[in-house]
Amino acid sequence: MRVLKFAILGLLEQDKMTGYDIAAAFKGALGQFWSAKHSQIYPELKKLVVEELIAFETVIQGEKLEKKLYSLTAKGTAELMDWIQRVEAVNVSNKDEFMLKTYFIAAMDKQEAQQLFSNQLNSRQRKLEKLEQILTELEAEQKAPIHFSSPEFGHYLVLTRAIEREKGYIQWLERSLALME
């Protein structure tokens, strides 16, 4: 399944965007849980145009710079809604380089293992701090408490899940380090 396709359709459901805007979204809030590079985004945009799920208009910026401003078509909206409402099996990511290193921990001496886990703990703590800062800013931007009809409700849900994930990872790292003592 082309999940990037649905990420782009979802972004365009929110607003018209250029390819640059879409790439920037993957560096922002969306990048907290999904990633895509320019080299993936632009070919996908071409496919979506051919499939008539999105359309574009050429706009002029400045004196000569032409940009494509993409928007969702009715067919694209229908496909996005089908995907959103589809019940999927639980998807567990199978690629975690740190877990792979952990699996082979017997190849390390105790100090190397403790250093590996300490480094990961520090990284996860910094990530948690950043996520909590983003949540604080998101809540401060809202004029009322965040609820289902808030435009940022989806971002809020994903962000609070990411915070809980990092807290759990940090607890596991701390318990693991204690076992290494």
Side-chain angles (χ1 to χ4, degrees):
M1 181 192 309
R2 292 169 30 213
V3 179
L4 177 58
K5 162 186 170 177
F6 296 109
I8 292 172
L9 293 177
L11 287 170
L12 293 176
E13 191 276 330
Q14 294 176 344
D15 201 1
K16 293 179 180 183
M17 299 177 130
T18 64
Y20 179 83
D21 296 332
I22 292 168
F26 282 100
K27 291 179 182 171
L30 202 57
Q32 294 165 8
F33 59 92
W34 202 265
S35 64
K37 299 175 182 155
H38 281 83
S39 61
Q40 297 169 298
I41 293 168
Y42 287 96
E44 189 64 36
L45 286 169
K46 287 179 184 177
K47 288 179 191 174
L48 293 172
V49 169
V50 169
E51 294 168 349
E52 299 179 345
L53 300 175
I54 65 173
F56 68 86
E57 60 182 293
T58 303
V59 294
I60 306 293
Q61 183 178 20
E63 299 266 330
K64 298 180 182 178
L65 183 63
E66 290 185 359
K67 289 185 166 191
K68 291 180 180 177
L69 188 62
Y70 294 94
S71 60
L72 199 57
T73 64
K75 185 178 174 183
T77 300
E79 190 136 344
L80 176 64
M81 291 303 119
D82 274 356
W83 174 74
I84 288 174
Q85 295 169 3
R86 190 178 315 143
V87 177
E88 304 284 340
V90 174
N91 183 17
V92 178
S93 175
N94 292 333
K95 293 186 178 181
D96 183 333
E97 189 175 346
F98 179 75
M99 284 296 129
L100 186 60
K101 290 176 182 181
T102 299
Y103 188 81
F104 297 115
I105 199 167
M108 296 178 231
D109 66 33
K110 185 177 177 179
Q111 286 181 325
E112 290 170 331
Q114 288 173 321
Q115 188 62 52
L116 176 70
F117 273 67
S118 292
N119 290 343
Q120 185 72 3
L121 178 60
N122 290 334
S123 294
R124 293 290 177 162
Q125 288 170 329
R126 284 193 306 274
K127 186 172 183 179
L128 176 60
E129 288 170 9
K130 183 177 178 182
L131 291 169
E132 288 175 333
Q133 178 185 356
I134 293 168
L135 178 61
T136 299
E137 291 168 4
L138 179 67
E139 290 173 331
E141 290 171 3
Q142 303 301 308
K143 294 181 175 144
I146 296 176
H147 51 83
F148 185 78
S149 60
S150 300
E152 296 295 330
F153 187 64
H155 185 196
Y156 174 81
L157 291 176
V158 169
L159 190 55
T160 54
R161 173 62 190 117
I163 289 169
E164 291 303 315
R165 179 193 63 226
E166 292 307 315
K167 285 179 178 178
Y169 213 128
I170 287 167
Q171 290 172 350
W172 174 78
L173 287 164
E174 289 171 339
R175 286 192 312 268
S176 298
L177 278 165
L179 287 171
M180 292 180 204
E181 289 301 319

